Amino acid sequence: MTRRRAGLVAVVCVGLAYATLIQATGWNQASHYALIRAIDSNTAHIDPYAGSTGDRARFNGHWFSARAPGLAFLSQPAYHVLEVTGATSNYRVKIGGRSNSLMVWALGIWAAAIPALLTMLLVWRVAERLEPGFGLPTAVTLGLGTLLLPFATMLFSHVLSACLGFAAFALLVGQRSDLEHSRLWRFALAGVCVGYGITTEYPLLFVGLILGVYAITAGDAVRRGAVYAAGVVLGVVPLALYNLWAFGSIAHVAYADIPRQQAGFFGIRVPDPSVAIQLLFSSRGLFTLAPVLLMGLVGAVMLHRRGQRAEAYVVAAIGLVFLAYNSGYFLPYGGRVPGPRFLITTLPFLAFPVAAAYRRYPGVTVALGAISIVAYGIATITQPLVSAEGDTGMWTNLLFHAHLQPTVLTIFKLHDEWLAMAPFFVAAVAALVLTVWAAPALVMSWRQAAAGAAATGAWALFAVLGPHALGIDRAAERMIVAAGDRTATWAVYGSHPLRDLALIAVAGALIALLAMRGVSAWRARSGEPSTTELSPVAQAA
């Protein structure tokens, strides 16, 4: 197999890993599913399904989904196919004794797993343009080592909106600075992606504004801005038509009828710096469980220093704007989730600069990448939908008791949970092996491996001790209770809920460092080229 094909197969393997898991169904997923069924029945209200979800709004005597309609519109073709096969009238629930649904799982593959796979391909392409030879490792790290992993296995809309937002950026990269060969249709299509992203998740408007500035600041601002804006308008037309159909006004959204959303601007108040710290560094924090994203910040600084300032500014602006709005929201984490789900839109933007870090600091980046993959891997296969920081100890507790999520094999009455998880493990490991083989530029010296081991130790100390010692977890759980969720556990799993997970992640990181050092030594002995035959994306670029 050529490296070109191996890289593509690696990304597909990550997508297959997503598709194997059948996750529990919560309010958010049930609300999306209710809206999908309602639209299929030619109505906007979800009255027949309102009892299945609390994510709903009351308007003119009817119940409506609180979710934006973009995912439901996109899911109609898949739902129709399932209808034709008879799956919608006779589908199974409670597979493996869990609160789940085969229909929600199948629609999640269409509306979450496939967009996650497309996001990986786009990150590969953009990262490869900026750092040839390191796009594939960056994309696979994003797919397996961030919040993209658990949310690609569930019927939430965040992965789809993140895919659309980053697709707009990918269309603009390389076009904004090339006045002679730039194509206006790319700016228009980028606008359409942003517009439909807003139809899917309203906060994608922030990405649209930032990318609009990015699109027009290199020249020809009038024409580029006009076609970009026209594309955005076209993309939000489905949202306007849905609002008119459901509420009689193109400007009325379901959020306006939810009491907690009526304070501030749809529930958003003045940003709180202490909440921002919780979102990043609690036991469910973005950087605590995915420390490899810190290398994305390092990579963005490297891009800025070597002259790619516009791209670095986009990363910084999107990250800061989303963190600011999220820290002012009345429910920052967004409920029972493994991390701050409203920050998922920032993930591909934080991820593509990791390619620069893989080149300059391979030991640290490999180590933190392995930690991130282990942490989110354990969360995903056990119980990703947790209610508070202290609940993160549930993940290793369930792991040690072999209490894992059902998979495709569970459908066929396979009751051994570890054996049923084999398709996920095989697909994920195959993706990692193929990624290393297809990225000959990824090499590591003993000195770099030692730096990675040191970074591993530093992360473990913080993950185990930091959130409790600094009071971050306690503050986050008080905030959850204040928001109306009385299920906060207050450290039922101990004051250091990530202790066992950190030990497993440290072992994974050290194994990854030793494996990469061995691969690097073999490449040096065999004379394998490290800067040629890099990837199909590099050749295309």
Side-chain angles (χ1 to χ4, degrees), residues 69-70 73 195-196 198-200 202 232-253:
F73 287 146
Y196 198 78
I198 296 169
T199 298
T200 304
Y202 307 129
V232 173
V233 171
L234 183 61
V236 297
V237 165
L239 174 61
L241 293 177
Y242 170 79
N243 290 338
L244 184 64
W245 178 36
F247 310 114
S249 169
I250 63 172
H252 187 103
V253 297

Coordinates of all heavy atoms in Angstrom, one line a residue, residues 69-70 73 195-196 198-200 202 232-253:
P69 N -32.4 24.0 13.3 CA -33.0 23.0 12.4 C -32.0 22.4 11.4 O -32.3 21.6 10.6 CB -34.1 23.7 11.6 CG -33.6 25.1 11.5 CD -32.9 25.4 12.8
G70 N -30.7 23.0 11.3 CA -29.8 22.5 10.3 C -29.5 21.1 10.2 O -29.5 20.4 9.2
F73 N -32.6 19.2 8.9 CA -32.8 19.2 7.5 C -31.8 18.3 6.8 O -32.2 17.6 5.8 CB -32.6 20.7 7.0 CG -33.7 21.6 7.3 CD1 -33.4 22.9 7.6 CD2 -35.0 21.2 7.3 CE1 -34.4 23.8 7.9 CE2 -36.0 22.1 7.6 CZ -35.8 23.4 8.0
G195 N -23.2 30.2 6.5 CA -24.6 30.5 6.6 C -25.3 29.2 7.1 O -26.1 29.3 8.0
Y196 N -25.0 28.1 6.5 CA -25.7 26.8 6.9 C -25.2 26.4 8.3 O -25.9 25.7 9.0 CB -25.5 25.7 5.9 CG -26.6 24.6 6.1 CD1 -27.9 24.8 5.7 CD2 -26.2 23.5 6.8 CE1 -28.8 23.9 5.9 CE2 -27.2 22.5 7.0 CZ -28.5 22.7 6.6 OH -29.5 21.7 6.8
I198 N -24.6 28.5 10.7 CA -25.5 29.3 11.6 C -26.8 28.6 11.7 O -27.5 28.6 12.7 CB -25.6 30.7 11.1 CG1 -24.2 31.4 11.1 CG2 -26.6 31.5 11.9 CD1 -24.2 32.7 10.4
T199 N -27.3 28.1 10.6 CA -28.6 27.3 10.6 C -28.5 26.1 11.5 O -29.5 25.7 12.0 CB -29.0 26.9 9.1 OG1 -29.2 28.1 8.4 CG2 -30.3 26.1 9.1
T200 N -27.3 25.6 11.6 CA -27.1 24.4 12.4 C -26.8 24.7 13.9 O -27.3 24.0 14.8 CB -25.9 23.6 11.8 OG1 -26.2 23.3 10.5 CG2 -25.7 22.3 12.6
Y202 N -26.3 28.4 16.1 CA -26.3 29.9 15.9 C -25.0 30.5 16.2 O -24.6 31.5 15.5 CB -27.4 30.5 16.9 CG -28.8 29.9 16.7 CD1 -29.5 29.4 17.8 CD2 -29.4 29.8 15.4 CE1 -30.8 28.9 17.6 CE2 -30.6 29.2 15.3 CZ -31.3 28.8 16.4 OH -32.6 28.2 16.2
V232 N -23.4 33.8 2.7 CA -23.9 33.6 4.0 C -25.5 33.7 4.0 O -26.2 33.0 4.7 CB -23.3 34.7 5.0 CG1 -24.0 34.7 6.3 CG2 -21.8 34.5 5.1
V233 N -26.0 34.7 3.3 CA -27.4 34.9 3.3 C -28.1 33.7 2.7 O -29.1 33.2 3.2 CB -27.8 36.2 2.4 CG1 -29.3 36.2 2.2 CG2 -27.3 37.4 3.1
L234 N -27.5 33.1 1.6 CA -28.1 31.9 1.0 C -28.1 30.8 2.0 O -29.1 30.0 2.1 CB -27.3 31.6 -0.2 CG -27.8 30.4 -1.0 CD1 -29.2 30.6 -1.5 CD2 -26.9 30.1 -2.2
G235 N -27.0 30.7 2.8 CA -26.9 29.6 3.8 C -27.9 29.7 4.9 O -28.3 28.6 5.5
V236 N -28.4 30.9 5.3 CA -29.3 31.0 6.4 C -30.8 31.0 5.9 O -31.7 31.1 6.8 CB -29.0 32.3 7.2 CG1 -27.6 32.2 7.9 CG2 -29.2 33.5 6.4
V237 N -31.0 31.0 4.6 CA -32.4 30.9 4.1 C -33.1 29.8 4.7 O -34.3 30.0 5.1 CB -32.4 30.9 2.6 CG1 -33.7 30.5 2.1 CG2 -32.0 32.2 2.0
P238 N -32.6 28.6 4.8 CA -33.4 27.5 5.5 C -33.8 27.8 6.9 O -34.9 27.4 7.3 CB -32.4 26.3 5.4 CG -31.5 26.6 4.3 CD -31.3 28.0 4.3
L239 N -32.9 28.5 7.7 CA -33.3 28.9 9.0 C -34.4 29.9 9.0 O -35.4 29.7 9.8 CB -32.1 29.5 9.7 CG -32.3 30.0 11.1 CD1 -32.8 29.0 12.1 CD2 -31.0 30.7 11.6
A240 N -34.3 30.8 8.1 CA -35.4 31.9 8.0 C -36.7 31.2 7.7 O -37.8 31.5 8.2 CB -35.0 32.9 7.0
L241 N -36.7 30.3 6.7 CA -37.9 29.7 6.3 C -38.5 28.8 7.4 O -39.7 28.7 7.6 CB -37.7 28.8 5.0 CG -37.3 29.6 3.8 CD1 -37.0 28.7 2.6 CD2 -38.4 30.6 3.4
Y242 N -37.6 28.1 8.1 CA -38.1 27.3 9.2 C -38.8 28.1 10.3 O -39.8 27.8 10.8 CB -36.9 26.5 9.8 CG -37.3 25.8 11.1 CD1 -38.0 24.6 11.1 CD2 -36.9 26.3 12.4 CE1 -38.3 24.0 12.3 CE2 -37.3 25.7 13.5 CZ -38.0 24.5 13.5 OH -38.3 23.9 14.7
N243 N -38.1 29.2 10.7 CA -38.7 30.1 11.7 C -40.0 30.7 11.2 O -41.0 30.8 12.1 CB -37.7 31.3 12.0 CG -36.5 30.8 12.7 OD1 -36.5 29.7 13.4 ND2 -35.4 31.6 12.6
L244 N -40.2 31.0 10.0 CA -41.4 31.5 9.4 C -42.5 30.5 9.5 O -43.6 30.7 9.9 CB -41.2 32.0 8.0 CG -42.4 32.7 7.3 CD1 -42.8 34.0 8.1 CD2 -42.1 33.0 5.9
W245 N -42.1 29.2 9.2 CA -43.0 28.1 9.2 C -43.5 27.8 10.6 O -44.7 27.6 10.9 CB -42.3 26.9 8.5 CG -43.1 25.6 8.5 CD1 -44.4 25.5 8.3 CD2 -42.5 24.3 8.6 NE1 -44.7 24.1 8.3 CE2 -43.6 23.4 8.5 CE3 -41.2 23.8 8.8 CZ2 -43.4 22.0 8.6 CZ3 -41.0 22.5 8.9 CH2 -42.1 21.6 8.8
A246 N -42.5 27.8 11.5 CA -42.8 27.3 12.9 C -43.4 28.4 13.7 O -44.3 28.2 14.5 CB -41.5 26.8 13.5
F247 N -42.9 29.6 13.6 CA -43.2 30.7 14.6 C -43.9 31.9 13.9 O -44.2 32.9 14.6 CB -42.0 31.1 15.4 CG -41.2 30.0 16.0 CD1 -39.9 29.7 15.5 CD2 -41.8 29.2 16.9 CE1 -39.2 28.6 16.1 CE2 -41.1 28.1 17.5 CZ -39.8 27.8 17.0
G248 N -44.0 31.9 12.6 CA -44.6 33.0 11.9 C -43.7 34.2 11.7 O -44.2 35.3 11.3
S249 N -42.4 34.1 12.0 CA -41.5 35.2 11.9 C -40.1 34.7 11.6 O -39.7 33.7 12.3 CB -41.4 36.1 13.1 OG -40.3 37.0 13.1
I250 N -39.4 35.2 10.6 CA -38.1 34.7 10.3 C -37.1 35.0 11.4 O -36.0 34.4 11.4 CB -37.6 35.3 8.9 CG1 -37.4 36.9 9.1 CG2 -38.5 34.9 7.8 CD1 -36.8 37.5 7.8
A251 N -37.4 36.0 12.3 CA -36.4 36.4 13.3 C -36.7 35.7 14.7 O -35.9 35.8 15.6 CB -36.5 37.9 13.6
H252 N -37.8 34.9 14.8 CA -38.1 34.2 16.0 C -37.4 32.9 16.0 O -37.6 32.1 15.1 CB -39.6 34.1 16.1 CG -40.0 33.5 17.5 ND1 -40.6 34.4 18.4 CD2 -40.0 32.3 18.0 CE1 -40.9 33.6 19.5 NE2 -40.5 32.4 19.3
V253 N -36.7 32.5 17.1 CA -36.1 31.2 17.3 C -36.6 30.6 18.5 O -37.1 31.3 19.4 CB -34.5 31.3 17.4 CG1 -34.0 31.9 16.1 CG2 -34.1 32.2 18.5

